[in-house]
Amino acid sequence: MAEGSTKVVLAALGGNLMIALTKFVASAMTGSAAMFSEAIHSVVDSGNQLLLLYGIRRARRPPTPQHPFGHGREVYFWSFVVAVLLFGIGAGLSVYDGWHALSNPEPVESPWVNFAVLGFAVLFEGFSWFVALREFRRTQSGVGILSALHRSKNPSVFVVLLEDTAALVGLLLAGIGLYLGEVTGNPIYDAYASIAIGVVLAIVAALLAYESKGLLIGESADRRIVEGIRRIVGEEARVKRPLDVLTMHMGPDDVLLNLSVEFQDSLNAREVEDAVCTLESRIRSQYPIIRRIFVEAESLRARRGRQEDGRQADDGTAPAQGLPAE
């Protein structure tokens, strides 16, 4: 998946750099506020893709004593930074430029230049969007777009997909603003288009920040994976029942599993060890994304005792086997 993510980001970066240059030239030639906003948008997107590439590279570093679980979650941090930049720079400057154009409306010169640039931009952005969508659907097949977006644990793909979607919507808005301004002779529509582009960027940035925040603070694996693990544990004859199946993504392709099970009372230490090895082997073979597995053997009575201690601590009362609460 890492190679696919890099390919998606590189495709988006190349397209945005070419588009940004042509948009700035068109904006300078015509004085269009919407086109200038689109140029800013493309520059911000290019910077965002560089940050995502940096995050992908950092996430590949091996574990260290200070980071024993690796650095996979760095890509989550940088995707959150991308969302902040998209909101602060992309949306902020677009709205400001549109507001400035409303205060000082100027007619757009040589509108055919803008329409030509918009046409080429749609082709470049459309190609980048198609590459991102194909990679996204490959990893999230059989699920609706919105549900897949929420379930996805790979921000380097869905960030590019959402950015390209916002770019295509922005190009449509810029084209509408230019067309209305040309038909009516009123440049105010170009300013409105710039503000509308900023609003679109702000909405997409808020959605990216929300999804990235969830990944950054820790999200569980997909529900189907958790249910599959429970099924594997339940099929093991030496296990009475699974008590807890706790998972957390340490990166897009790295899941930590903490498994608490109650083994049969008749098992000795060697038999428990063999059962644990069997469970680990079956889980890893079916779900390679699970890199680390911690199995805790405990009795149901001990678990209930810890839960009772936790409830007493929450109530401010003394735990059954601890010191009195202050």
Side-chain angles (χ1 to χ4, degrees), residues 67-116:
H67 299 89
F69 293 104
H71 300 78
R73 295 174 74 175
E74 279 223 32
V75 70
Y76 298 156
F77 168 77
W78 290 108
S79 66
F80 186 80
V81 172
V82 164
V84 173
L85 291 177
L86 186 64
F87 182 86
I89 299 179
L93 287 181
S94 294
V95 171
Y96 173 79
D97 192 63
W99 173 81
H100 180 74
L102 283 176
S103 304
N104 303 279
E106 295 181 2
V108 176
E109 301 176 0
S110 304
W112 62 270
V113 175
N114 283 330
F115 286 119

Tab-separated table of all heavy atoms in Angstrom, residues 67-116:
chain	number	residue	atom	x	y	z
A	67	HIS	N	11.000	4.931	20.258
A	67	HIS	CA	9.738	4.665	19.552
A	67	HIS	C	9.692	3.179	19.205
A	67	HIS	O	9.875	2.796	18.049
A	67	HIS	CB	9.631	5.522	18.287
A	67	HIS	CG	9.650	6.993	18.551
A	67	HIS	ND1	10.819	7.714	18.596
A	67	HIS	CD2	8.647	7.880	18.791
A	67	HIS	CE1	10.542	8.985	18.844
A	67	HIS	NE2	9.236	9.109	18.971
A	68	PRO	N	9.447	2.333	20.203
A	68	PRO	CA	9.526	0.883	19.978
A	68	PRO	C	8.475	0.340	19.017
A	68	PRO	O	8.640	-0.757	18.478
A	68	PRO	CB	9.344	0.303	21.386
A	68	PRO	CG	8.612	1.366	22.144
A	68	PRO	CD	9.108	2.663	21.589
A	69	PHE	N	7.387	1.071	18.795
A	69	PHE	CA	6.353	0.621	17.873
A	69	PHE	C	6.518	1.235	16.482
A	69	PHE	O	5.609	1.150	15.653
A	69	PHE	CB	4.967	0.954	18.422
A	69	PHE	CG	4.612	0.187	19.657
A	69	PHE	CD1	4.642	0.796	20.900
A	69	PHE	CD2	4.266	-1.152	19.579
A	69	PHE	CE1	4.324	0.089	22.040
A	69	PHE	CE2	3.943	-1.870	20.721
A	69	PHE	CZ	3.975	-1.254	21.960
A	70	GLY	N	7.654	1.861	16.230
A	70	GLY	CA	7.900	2.428	14.921
A	70	GLY	C	7.393	3.858	14.796
A	70	GLY	O	6.953	4.477	15.770
A	71	HIS	N	7.433	4.363	13.562
A	71	HIS	CA	7.081	5.755	13.295
A	71	HIS	C	5.919	5.874	12.308
A	71	HIS	O	5.743	6.909	11.669
A	71	HIS	CB	8.294	6.511	12.730
A	71	HIS	CG	9.480	6.519	13.649
A	71	HIS	ND1	10.320	5.443	13.785
A	71	HIS	CD2	9.957	7.481	14.482
A	71	HIS	CE1	11.280	5.728	14.659
A	71	HIS	NE2	11.082	6.956	15.098
A	72	GLY	N	5.133	4.811	12.197
A	72	GLY	CA	4.071	4.792	11.211
A	72	GLY	C	3.053	5.904	11.361
A	72	GLY	O	2.466	6.372	10.378
A	73	ARG	N	2.845	6.389	12.584
A	73	ARG	CA	1.815	7.401	12.810
A	73	ARG	C	2.277	8.802	12.415
A	73	ARG	O	1.496	9.750	12.500
A	73	ARG	CB	1.368	7.362	14.275
A	73	ARG	CG	0.685	6.051	14.633
A	73	ARG	CD	0.370	5.925	16.087
A	73	ARG	NE	-0.758	6.761	16.459
A	73	ARG	CZ	-1.295	6.752	17.674
A	73	ARG	NH1	-0.803	5.965	18.607
A	73	ARG	NH2	-2.317	7.532	17.955
A	74	GLU	N	3.528	8.925	11.966
A	74	GLU	CA	3.973	10.244	11.493
A	74	GLU	C	3.154	10.713	10.304
A	74	GLU	O	2.912	11.907	10.143
A	74	GLU	CB	5.462	10.211	11.133
A	74	GLU	CG	6.381	10.334	12.312
A	74	GLU	CD	7.554	11.267	12.035
A	74	GLU	OE1	7.379	12.223	11.259
A	74	GLU	OE2	8.620	11.039	12.618
A	75	VAL	N	2.730	9.771	9.454
A	75	VAL	CA	1.934	10.163	8.295
A	75	VAL	C	0.598	10.747	8.741
A	75	VAL	O	0.028	11.605	8.063
A	75	VAL	CB	1.733	8.954	7.345
A	75	VAL	CG1	0.807	7.916	7.951
A	75	VAL	CG2	1.211	9.421	5.996
A	76	TYR	N	0.099	10.331	9.899
A	76	TYR	CA	-1.134	10.909	10.439
A	76	TYR	C	-0.905	12.351	10.889
A	76	TYR	O	-1.750	13.223	10.678
A	76	TYR	CB	-1.646	10.078	11.621
A	76	TYR	CG	-2.006	8.652	11.279
A	76	TYR	CD1	-1.996	7.657	12.256
A	76	TYR	CD2	-2.355	8.299	9.986
A	76	TYR	CE1	-2.335	6.351	11.954
A	76	TYR	CE2	-2.686	6.993	9.668
A	76	TYR	CZ	-2.677	6.024	10.655
A	76	TYR	OH	-3.009	4.738	10.353
A	77	PHE	N	0.243	12.584	11.512
A	77	PHE	CA	0.564	13.942	11.952
A	77	PHE	C	0.663	14.887	10.765
A	77	PHE	O	0.087	15.987	10.771
A	77	PHE	CB	1.872	13.943	12.742
A	77	PHE	CG	2.424	15.324	12.990
A	77	PHE	CD1	1.860	16.128	13.968
A	77	PHE	CD2	3.474	15.819	12.233
A	77	PHE	CE1	2.359	17.407	14.201
A	77	PHE	CE2	3.970	17.089	12.465
A	77	PHE	CZ	3.410	17.886	13.450
A	78	TRP	N	1.385	14.478	9.725
A	78	TRP	CA	1.579	15.366	8.582
A	78	TRP	C	0.298	15.562	7.784
A	78	TRP	O	0.094	16.612	7.175
A	78	TRP	CB	2.712	14.844	7.701
A	78	TRP	CG	4.044	14.982	8.367
A	78	TRP	CD1	4.816	13.995	8.890
A	78	TRP	CD2	4.734	16.204	8.641
A	78	TRP	NE1	5.954	14.506	9.458
A	78	TRP	CE2	5.926	15.875	9.327
A	78	TRP	CE3	4.471	17.543	8.380
A	78	TRP	CZ2	6.848	16.827	9.739
A	78	TRP	CZ3	5.392	18.505	8.789
A	78	TRP	CH2	6.558	18.138	9.451
A	79	SER	N	-0.582	14.581	7.790
A	79	SER	CA	-1.878	14.793	7.138
A	79	SER	C	-2.706	15.820	7.902
A	79	SER	O	-3.453	16.601	7.298
A	79	SER	CB	-2.646	13.473	7.031
A	79	SER	OG	-3.001	12.972	8.315
A	80	PHE	N	-2.563	15.865	9.225
A	80	PHE	CA	-3.252	16.883	10.009
A	80	PHE	C	-2.668	18.269	9.715
A	80	PHE	O	-3.408	19.257	9.606
A	80	PHE	CB	-3.132	16.571	11.503
A	80	PHE	CG	-3.936	17.481	12.384
A	80	PHE	CD1	-5.288	17.287	12.555
A	80	PHE	CD2	-3.332	18.555	13.039
A	80	PHE	CE1	-6.041	18.129	13.360
A	80	PHE	CE2	-4.067	19.405	13.837
A	80	PHE	CZ	-5.430	19.186	14.003
A	81	VAL	N	-1.345	18.333	9.572
A	81	VAL	CA	-0.711	19.603	9.198
A	81	VAL	C	-1.222	20.070	7.837
A	81	VAL	O	-1.478	21.266	7.625
A	81	VAL	CB	0.825	19.448	9.184
A	81	VAL	CG1	1.494	20.699	8.606
A	81	VAL	CG2	1.352	19.178	10.584
A	82	VAL	N	-1.378	19.141	6.908
A	82	VAL	CA	-1.910	19.477	5.585
A	82	VAL	C	-3.295	20.104	5.707
A	82	VAL	O	-3.609	21.099	5.040
A	82	VAL	CB	-1.961	18.217	4.695
A	82	VAL	CG1	-2.865	18.430	3.481
A	82	VAL	CG2	-0.557	17.842	4.239
A	83	ALA	N	-4.143	19.523	6.558
A	83	ALA	CA	-5.491	20.064	6.741
A	83	ALA	C	-5.444	21.485	7.298
A	83	ALA	O	-6.198	22.367	6.859
A	83	ALA	CB	-6.291	19.163	7.676
A	84	VAL	N	-4.537	21.729	8.238
A	84	VAL	CA	-4.415	23.066	8.822
A	84	VAL	C	-3.946	24.072	7.764
A	84	VAL	O	-4.469	25.188	7.667
A	84	VAL	CB	-3.451	23.042	10.022
A	84	VAL	CG1	-3.179	24.453	10.525
A	84	VAL	CG2	-4.017	22.189	11.149
A	85	LEU	N	-2.966	23.687	6.972
A	85	LEU	CA	-2.463	24.589	5.928
A	85	LEU	C	-3.525	24.853	4.859
A	85	LEU	O	-3.655	25.979	4.367
A	85	LEU	CB	-1.216	23.989	5.283
A	85	LEU	CG	0.036	23.912	6.153
A	85	LEU	CD1	1.175	23.236	5.400
A	85	LEU	CD2	0.459	25.304	6.604
A	86	LEU	N	-4.265	23.803	4.511
A	86	LEU	CA	-5.313	23.978	3.502
A	86	LEU	C	-6.359	24.966	3.978
A	86	LEU	O	-6.854	25.797	3.211
A	86	LEU	CB	-5.962	22.625	3.198
A	86	LEU	CG	-6.979	22.602	2.056
A	86	LEU	CD1	-6.314	22.946	0.734
A	86	LEU	CD2	-7.658	21.237	1.973
A	87	PHE	N	-6.680	24.915	5.266
A	87	PHE	CA	-7.673	25.843	5.819
A	87	PHE	C	-7.094	27.241	5.954
A	87	PHE	O	-7.688	28.226	5.511
A	87	PHE	CB	-8.146	25.343	7.183
A	87	PHE	CG	-9.201	26.215	7.809
A	87	PHE	CD1	-10.539	26.029	7.505
A	87	PHE	CD2	-8.859	27.224	8.697
A	87	PHE	CE1	-11.513	26.827	8.073
A	87	PHE	CE2	-9.819	28.029	9.272
A	87	PHE	CZ	-11.156	27.826	8.959
A	88	GLY	N	-5.894	27.327	6.567
A	88	GLY	CA	-5.332	28.639	6.868
A	88	GLY	C	-4.854	29.405	5.654
A	88	GLY	O	-5.118	30.604	5.519
A	89	ILE	N	-4.153	28.724	4.756
A	89	ILE	CA	-3.581	29.412	3.591
A	89	ILE	C	-4.528	29.359	2.406
A	89	ILE	O	-4.888	30.397	1.831
A	89	ILE	CB	-2.219	28.792	3.220
A	89	ILE	CG1	-1.228	28.943	4.393
A	89	ILE	CG2	-1.659	29.463	1.978
A	89	ILE	CD1	0.124	28.338	4.128
A	90	GLY	N	-4.928	28.148	2.021
A	90	GLY	CA	-5.773	28.014	0.838
A	90	GLY	C	-7.106	28.714	0.982
A	90	GLY	O	-7.451	29.608	0.199
A	91	ALA	N	-7.866	28.327	2.014
A	91	ALA	CA	-9.193	28.921	2.201
A	91	ALA	C	-9.092	30.385	2.603
A	91	ALA	O	-9.832	31.239	2.086
A	91	ALA	CB	-9.964	28.132	3.261
A	92	GLY	N	-8.172	30.707	3.509
A	92	GLY	CA	-8.061	32.083	4.001
A	92	GLY	C	-7.709	33.069	2.902
A	92	GLY	O	-8.357	34.116	2.760
A	93	LEU	N	-6.695	32.743	2.094
A	93	LEU	CA	-6.297	33.662	1.035
A	93	LEU	C	-7.344	33.768	-0.070
A	93	LEU	O	-7.528	34.838	-0.659
A	93	LEU	CB	-4.959	33.216	0.443
A	93	LEU	CG	-3.723	33.442	1.330
A	93	LEU	CD1	-2.468	32.973	0.626
A	93	LEU	CD2	-3.591	34.901	1.728
A	94	SER	N	-8.035	32.672	-0.351
A	94	SER	CA	-9.068	32.721	-1.383
A	94	SER	C	-10.214	33.630	-0.967
A	94	SER	O	-10.706	34.450	-1.757
A	94	SER	CB	-9.594	31.308	-1.668
A	94	SER	OG	-8.593	30.499	-2.242
A	95	VAL	N	-10.657	33.503	0.288
A	95	VAL	CA	-11.735	34.357	0.772
A	95	VAL	C	-11.276	35.813	0.823
A	95	VAL	O	-12.009	36.734	0.432
A	95	VAL	CB	-12.216	33.888	2.156
A	95	VAL	CG1	-13.196	34.895	2.764
A	95	VAL	CG2	-12.886	32.518	2.050
A	96	TYR	N	-10.051	36.033	1.287
A	96	TYR	CA	-9.538	37.409	1.363
A	96	TYR	C	-9.435	38.032	-0.019
A	96	TYR	O	-9.824	39.200	-0.222
A	96	TYR	CB	-8.174	37.425	2.043
A	96	TYR	CG	-7.508	38.788	1.994
A	96	TYR	CD1	-7.890	39.790	2.889
A	96	TYR	CD2	-6.524	39.067	1.041
A	96	TYR	CE1	-7.287	41.044	2.839
A	96	TYR	CE2	-5.928	40.316	0.986
A	96	TYR	CZ	-6.313	41.301	1.889
A	96	TYR	OH	-5.735	42.536	1.818
A	97	ASP	N	-8.924	37.278	-0.985
A	97	ASP	CA	-8.774	37.823	-2.332
A	97	ASP	C	-10.139	38.125	-2.940
A	97	ASP	O	-10.307	39.137	-3.643
A	97	ASP	CB	-8.023	36.828	-3.212
A	97	ASP	CG	-7.589	37.444	-4.527
A	97	ASP	OD1	-6.788	38.396	-4.508
A	97	ASP	OD2	-8.053	36.965	-5.574
A	98	GLY	N	-11.127	37.262	-2.665
A	98	GLY	CA	-12.468	37.530	-3.163
A	98	GLY	C	-13.081	38.757	-2.520
A	98	GLY	O	-13.729	39.574	-3.191
A	99	TRP	N	-12.871	38.901	-1.220
A	99	TRP	CA	-13.390	40.083	-0.509
A	99	TRP	C	-12.734	41.358	-1.042
A	99	TRP	O	-13.399	42.381	-1.229
A	99	TRP	CB	-13.131	39.930	0.981
A	99	TRP	CG	-13.480	41.152	1.771
A	99	TRP	CD1	-14.711	41.537	2.209
A	99	TRP	CD2	-12.573	42.167	2.216
A	99	TRP	NE1	-14.642	42.721	2.907
A	99	TRP	CE2	-13.341	43.133	2.926
A	99	TRP	CE3	-11.195	42.360	2.091
A	99	TRP	CZ2	-12.752	44.258	3.498
A	99	TRP	CZ3	-10.627	43.476	2.670
A	99	TRP	CH2	-11.407	44.407	3.353
A	100	HIS	N	-11.429	41.271	-1.306
A	100	HIS	CA	-10.724	42.425	-1.856
A	100	HIS	C	-11.257	42.769	-3.246
A	100	HIS	O	-11.403	43.953	-3.595
A	100	HIS	CB	-9.226	42.129	-1.928
A	100	HIS	CG	-8.411	43.273	-2.487
A	100	HIS	ND1	-8.148	44.421	-1.773
A	100	HIS	CD2	-7.811	43.433	-3.705
A	100	HIS	CE1	-7.428	45.246	-2.516
A	100	HIS	NE2	-7.204	44.662	-3.690
A	101	ALA	N	-11.554	41.750	-4.041
A	101	ALA	CA	-12.090	42.003	-5.382
A	101	ALA	C	-13.495	42.609	-5.312
A	101	ALA	O	-13.877	43.400	-6.188
A	101	ALA	CB	-12.114	40.701	-6.180
A	102	LEU	N	-14.259	42.238	-4.270
A	102	LEU	CA	-15.585	42.849	-4.105
A	102	LEU	C	-15.461	44.335	-3.795
A	102	LEU	O	-16.273	45.149	-4.253
A	102	LEU	CB	-16.351	42.150	-2.976
A	102	LEU	CG	-16.972	40.791	-3.285
A	102	LEU	CD1	-17.609	40.208	-2.027
A	102	LEU	CD2	-18.009	40.910	-4.391
A	103	SER	N	-14.450	44.683	-3.022
A	103	SER	CA	-14.254	46.086	-2.662
A	103	SER	C	-13.708	46.897	-3.832
A	103	SER	O	-13.981	48.099	-3.944
A	103	SER	CB	-13.282	46.190	-1.470
A	103	SER	OG	-13.751	45.432	-0.374
A	104	ASN	N	-12.923	46.261	-4.678
A	104	ASN	CA	-12.327	46.962	-5.827
A	104	ASN	C	-12.521	46.112	-7.089
A	104	ASN	O	-11.555	45.533	-7.616
A	104	ASN	CB	-10.828	47.201	-5.579
A	104	ASN	CG	-10.575	47.984	-4.307
A	104	ASN	OD1	-10.685	49.198	-4.281
A	104	ASN	ND2	-10.230	47.255	-3.245
A	105	PRO	N	-13.739	46.022	-7.581
A	105	PRO	CA	-13.989	45.173	-8.759
A	105	PRO	C	-13.310	45.723	-10.006
A	105	PRO	O	-13.359	46.923	-10.279
A	105	PRO	CB	-15.515	45.207	-8.892
A	105	PRO	CG	-15.929	46.482	-8.224
A	105	PRO	CD	-14.959	46.708	-7.110
A	106	GLU	N	-12.644	44.833	-10.715
A	106	GLU	CA	-11.991	45.197	-11.965
A	106	GLU	C	-12.393	44.188	-13.029
A	106	GLU	O	-12.441	42.983	-12.757
A	106	GLU	CB	-10.467	45.201	-11.805
A	106	GLU	CG	-9.957	46.261	-10.830
A	106	GLU	CD	-8.450	46.238	-10.724
A	106	GLU	OE1	-7.823	45.422	-11.434
A	106	GLU	OE2	-7.895	47.028	-9.941
A	107	PRO	N	-12.667	44.630	-14.233
A	107	PRO	CA	-13.078	43.699	-15.293
A	107	PRO	C	-11.948	42.738	-15.647
A	107	PRO	O	-10.765	43.089	-15.612
A	107	PRO	CB	-13.414	44.630	-16.462
A	107	PRO	CG	-12.653	45.890	-16.188
A	107	PRO	CD	-12.620	46.039	-14.692
A	108	VAL	N	-12.342	41.523	-15.954
A	108	VAL	CA	-11.372	40.504	-16.344
A	108	VAL	C	-11.009	40.686	-17.809
A	108	VAL	O	-11.882	40.777	-18.680
A	108	VAL	CB	-11.957	39.094	-16.120
A	108	VAL	CG1	-10.976	38.031	-16.618
A	108	VAL	CG2	-12.271	38.883	-14.642
A	109	GLU	N	-9.707	40.773	-18.086
A	109	GLU	CA	-9.240	40.951	-19.455
A	109	GLU	C	-8.903	39.590	-20.084
A	109	GLU	O	-8.463	38.674	-19.401
A	109	GLU	CB	-8.000	41.847	-19.472
A	109	GLU	CG	-8.240	43.239	-18.875
A	109	GLU	CD	-6.967	44.062	-18.822
A	109	GLU	OE1	-5.919	43.531	-19.249
A	109	GLU	OE2	-7.026	45.207	-18.362
A	110	SER	N	-9.117	39.507	-21.390
A	110	SER	CA	-8.808	38.281	-22.154
A	110	SER	C	-9.339	37.034	-21.454
A	110	SER	O	-8.571	36.145	-21.057
A	110	SER	CB	-7.291	38.152	-22.361
A	110	SER	OG	-6.755	39.293	-22.991
A	111	PRO	N	-10.660	36.936	-21.246
A	111	PRO	CA	-11.207	35.793	-20.506
A	111	PRO	C	-10.922	34.456	-21.181
A	111	PRO	O	-10.899	33.422	-20.505
A	111	PRO	CB	-12.707	36.086	-20.486
A	111	PRO	CG	-12.945	37.006	-21.634
A	111	PRO	CD	-11.709	37.851	-21.737
A	112	TRP	N	-10.660	34.467	-22.499
A	112	TRP	CA	-10.393	33.205	-23.187
A	112	TRP	C	-9.139	32.524	-22.634
A	112	TRP	O	-9.032	31.282	-22.656
A	112	TRP	CB	-10.228	33.449	-24.688
A	112	TRP	CG	-9.080	34.349	-25.045
A	112	TRP	CD1	-9.091	35.700	-25.172
A	112	TRP	CD2	-7.726	33.934	-25.275
A	112	TRP	NE1	-7.838	36.173	-25.469
A	112	TRP	CE2	-6.976	35.101	-25.557
A	112	TRP	CE3	-7.089	32.699	-25.291
A	112	TRP	CZ2	-5.626	35.062	-25.822
A	112	TRP	CZ3	-5.733	32.660	-25.565
A	112	TRP	CH2	-5.017	33.835	-25.829
A	113	VAL	N	-8.203	33.334	-22.111
A	113	VAL	CA	-6.992	32.750	-21.511
A	113	VAL	C	-7.373	31.925	-20.284
A	113	VAL	O	-6.897	30.794	-20.097
A	113	VAL	CB	-5.992	33.858	-21.127
A	113	VAL	CG1	-4.796	33.260	-20.384
A	113	VAL	CG2	-5.544	34.615	-22.360
A	114	ASN	N	-8.255	32.501	-19.446
A	114	ASN	CA	-8.680	31.778	-18.259
A	114	ASN	C	-9.427	30.501	-18.615
A	114	ASN	O	-9.231	29.444	-17.990
A	114	ASN	CB	-9.581	32.667	-17.396
A	114	ASN	CG	-8.785	33.696	-16.616
A	114	ASN	OD1	-7.642	33.455	-16.253
A	114	ASN	ND2	-9.381	34.841	-16.361
A	115	PHE	N	-10.301	30.586	-19.610
A	115	PHE	CA	-11.062	29.393	-19.989
A	115	PHE	C	-10.136	28.302	-20.538
A	115	PHE	O	-10.347	27.109	-20.274
A	115	PHE	CB	-12.124	29.760	-21.026
A	115	PHE	CG	-13.293	30.511	-20.459
A	115	PHE	CD1	-13.590	31.792	-20.901
A	115	PHE	CD2	-14.074	29.951	-19.465
A	115	PHE	CE1	-14.657	32.488	-20.373
A	115	PHE	CE2	-15.154	30.642	-18.936
A	115	PHE	CZ	-15.448	31.914	-19.386
A	116	ALA	N	-9.116	28.698	-21.277
A	116	ALA	CA	-8.154	27.717	-21.794
A	116	ALA	C	-7.386	27.057	-20.651
A	116	ALA	O	-7.200	25.826	-20.624
A	116	ALA	CB	-7.188	28.390	-22.763
